[in-house]
Amino acid sequence: MAMAESSFKESIWSLHGRTALVTGGTRGIGNATVVELARLGARVHTCSRNGEELNKCLKEWEEKGLLVTGSVCDASSRAQREKLIEEVGSVFNGSLNILVNNVGTNIRKPTNEYTAEEYSEIMITNFESAYHMCQLAHPLLKASGVGSIVFISSVAGLQHIGSGSIYGATKGAIHQLTKNLACEWAKDNIRTNSVAPCCSKSRSLWRK
């Protein structure tokens, strides 16, 4: 089956021979990231809590000629994160070039209305899962010789945009984690960056 065309010319940008893990790759930014990495030639593995949704996406990507595999995984579960990285290590023969930490959730409400359970859900999903995923993936990224971590963060980690105090705190923590890992793991030839999207609704709140 012919490989789908990339949005970049291969002579300028190519990821052929590289491997990537994108968490939460069946929707939104995660889905778009999976598609673009695969179009650029990377072998991609992704995950989703929803097995039916994952299988539907895998079928669609296969029909487009994209090399994507997947696992059912709830990134908020420590045990499932560990299992995911074991599977990735097996699929990619013990090395990984790219880790995209994309999983995230939010509950928008005033600060004094959050329950302890809601606080934990947002903190675990948005920050703890990404932090732990980096720890688990470090040996694979180091083994590749050329590793890269990308966090999908948010403008909410830099400015108040009405997304909730806990969500903003997790994204601010992601920005600081990015800076620390960029320095700490540079010796292992692992680059670390974050991307901070902002939706149109949030921008309108930010400007008020």
Side-chain angles (χ1 to χ4, degrees):
M1 187 176 294
M3 181 66 68
E5 290 185 6
S6 170
S7 58
F8 294 94
K9 293 182 179 179
E10 185 174 337
S11 60
I12 298 175
W13 189 253
S14 174
L15 291 175
H16 285 283
R18 301 298 173 91
T19 58
L21 168 61
V22 181
T23 61
T26 57
R27 300 182 186 181
I29 293 174
N31 188 305
T33 301
V34 168
V35 170
E36 190 62 13
L37 290 174
R39 281 178 174 171
L40 289 168
R43 293 173 57 202
V44 183
H45 193 87
T46 191
C47 66
S48 172
R49 291 180 297 179
N50 188 319
E52 183 177 344
E53 186 173 87
L54 176 63
N55 289 331
K56 179 182 177 182
C57 287
L58 289 174
K59 182 178 180 180
E60 292 174 354
W61 293 327
E62 182 181 9
E63 291 173 351
K64 294 177 181 178
L66 303 177
L67 300 176
V68 185
T69 52
S71 302
V72 175
C73 172
D74 182 349
S76 66
S77 165
R78 187 177 186 87
Q80 290 190 40
R81 292 193 296 266
E82 292 171 345
K83 182 180 178 182
L84 172 65
I85 294 299
E86 287 181 5
E87 292 174 351
V88 169
S90 177
V91 170
F92 294 147
N93 298 316
S95 70
L96 177 69
N97 294 111
I98 303 165
L99 168 63
V100 181
N101 282 302
N102 170 69
V103 169
T105 191
N106 195 16
I107 302 169
R108 288 182 171 86
K109 58 169 56 179
T111 297
N112 58 1
E113 294 182 9
Y114 282 104
T115 65
E117 291 76 16
E118 289 170 337
Y119 170 85
S120 294
E121 178 184 352
I122 299 172
M123 290 296 294
I124 291 171
T125 304
N126 292 6
F127 182 72
E128 182 183 317
S129 68
Y131 177 83
H132 187 217
M133 201 70 74
C134 289
Q135 285 185 312
L136 294 171
H138 177 267
L140 302 181
L141 292 164
K142 184 177 179 180
S144 75
V146 183
S148 179
I149 298 171
V150 179
F151 293 101
I152 304 301
S153 182
S154 170
V155 170
L158 302 168
Q159 300 281 348
H160 170 68
I161 59 173
S163 291
S165 59
I166 303 173
Y167 180 83
T170 62
K171 296 306 181 178
I174 287 292
H175 291 154
Q176 190 58 43
L177 178 61
T178 301
K179 295 175 183 178
N180 279 272
L181 292 185
C183 295
E184 182 180 347
W185 289 354
K187 67 182 185 303
D188 298 324
N189 208 26
I190 299 172
R191 293 176 297 129
T192 309
N193 292 280
S194 63
V195 179
C198 182
C199 69
S200 57
K201 180 179 180 181
S202 295
R203 282 200 298 269
S204 66
L205 291 170
W206 183 14
R207 289 170 180 164
K208 289 182 180 178

